[in-house]
Amino acid sequence: MKCPFCSYRDSRVVDSRAVDDGVSIRRRRECPDCGRRFTTYEKYEETPLMVSKKDGRRELFDAKKLLSGLIKAFEKRPISYEKIQEIAEHIERELRMRGEAEIRSEVIGEAVMNHLEKTDQIAYVRFASVYRQFADVNNFMQELQRIMKNNESVDRSDKE
C-alpha cells in the first residue's frame, strides 16, 4: 500500500482487526520510509443491486434513499438515529442475502413495513400511508383496525 504522506510504494501492517460485524478489516499501517502511520479498511466488493420499479424503470439500490425514508417515518418518534441506521443496514443485508442481482421495489417496501411494524406502529402507519397509497380514509382505517386486532391478539397471548 502506497504511503499517503511520502508516496513510498510500500508499507507494513502494524495491527489488523475486524470491524462492522466482520464485514471489513481495519489495518493500521506504517511507512518504512517516513515512519508515519495511517489506517486502511479492507472490504469485500459487493455486486451492484438493481431495483426494478413498478413502472418498469430500473435503478441502482441506494442505501441513502432507504435511510432517508426510514428517517421520515420515524420523525418525532423516540427512536435513536443509531437504531434507524441499524434497521436500514439490516434491511439491506436481508436484500443482499437473497442473492439476486435485481429486486422488485415491492420486496423492499414490504421489508421496510415488516421492520417498522415491529419497531414503532406510528412510523409503520406513516410509511404505509405513503407506500400503500391509501385512496381514502376508509383504506387508512382498515389498516389501523388490522394493527389494533394484531395488538389485541398479542396482548391476549401475553396474559395467558
Side-chain angles (χ1 to χ4, degrees):
M1 172 77 55
K2 184 176 169 181
C3 176
F5 304 108
C6 71
S7 297
Y8 188 74
R9 293 181 183 250
D10 198 13
S11 63
R12 68 182 187 88
V13 175
V14 178
D15 180 48
S16 290
R17 67 179 70 158
V19 291
D20 298 330
D21 291 329
V23 172
S24 53
I25 297 174
R26 177 185 182 272
R27 297 197 193 281
R28 193 73 181 136
R29 296 176 176 270
E30 183 176 64
C31 175
D33 193 44
C34 71
R36 294 183 69 182
R37 291 185 172 195
F38 57 98
T39 303
T40 61
Y41 292 89
E42 183 178 317
K43 188 176 181 178
Y44 60 85
E45 187 174 10
E46 293 178 336
T47 56
L49 184 60
M50 295 299 294
V51 177
S52 59
K53 308 291 242 172
K54 290 178 186 176
D55 64 5
R57 289 180 300 123
R58 295 173 63 228
E59 63 183 48
L60 278 174
F61 174 79
D62 185 354
K64 291 178 188 170
K65 194 172 174 181
L66 172 63
L67 182 61
S68 173
L70 288 170
I71 289 170
K72 285 177 190 169
F74 284 115
E75 191 172 352
K76 297 183 182 178
R77 300 299 302 150
I79 307 294
S80 70
Y81 180 71
E82 290 78 21
K83 177 67 176 173
I84 297 170
Q85 283 181 307
E86 184 182 305
I87 292 168
E89 290 167 3
H90 193 263
I91 292 169
E92 182 177 359
R93 225 179 358 260
E94 280 179 15
L95 297 173
R96 290 191 182 280
M97 285 176 60
R98 294 171 65 100
E100 301 169 6
E102 189 168 320
I103 195 154
R104 293 183 355 265
S105 60
E106 293 88 357
V107 172
I108 298 169
E110 290 303 320
V112 170
M113 297 275 284
N114 289 337
H115 281 274
L116 289 177
E117 190 170 23
K118 294 175 198 168
T119 308
D120 186 287
Q121 291 178 341
I122 300 298
Y124 169 81
V125 171
R126 282 181 183 161
F127 186 85
S129 68
V130 174
Y131 176 67
R132 295 238 167 97
Q133 300 174 338
F134 294 136
D136 56 28
V137 176
N138 289 331
N139 295 118
F140 194 77
M141 286 304 296
Q142 287 173 348
E143 188 65 25
L144 288 175
Q145 288 169 346
R146 187 191 67 75
I147 293 170
M148 289 168 52
K149 188 176 179 180
N150 286 347
N151 282 346
E152 288 172 9
S153 65
V154 168
D155 288 344
R156 273 191 237 118
S157 66
D158 286 345
K159 291 177 184 177
E160 293 175 354

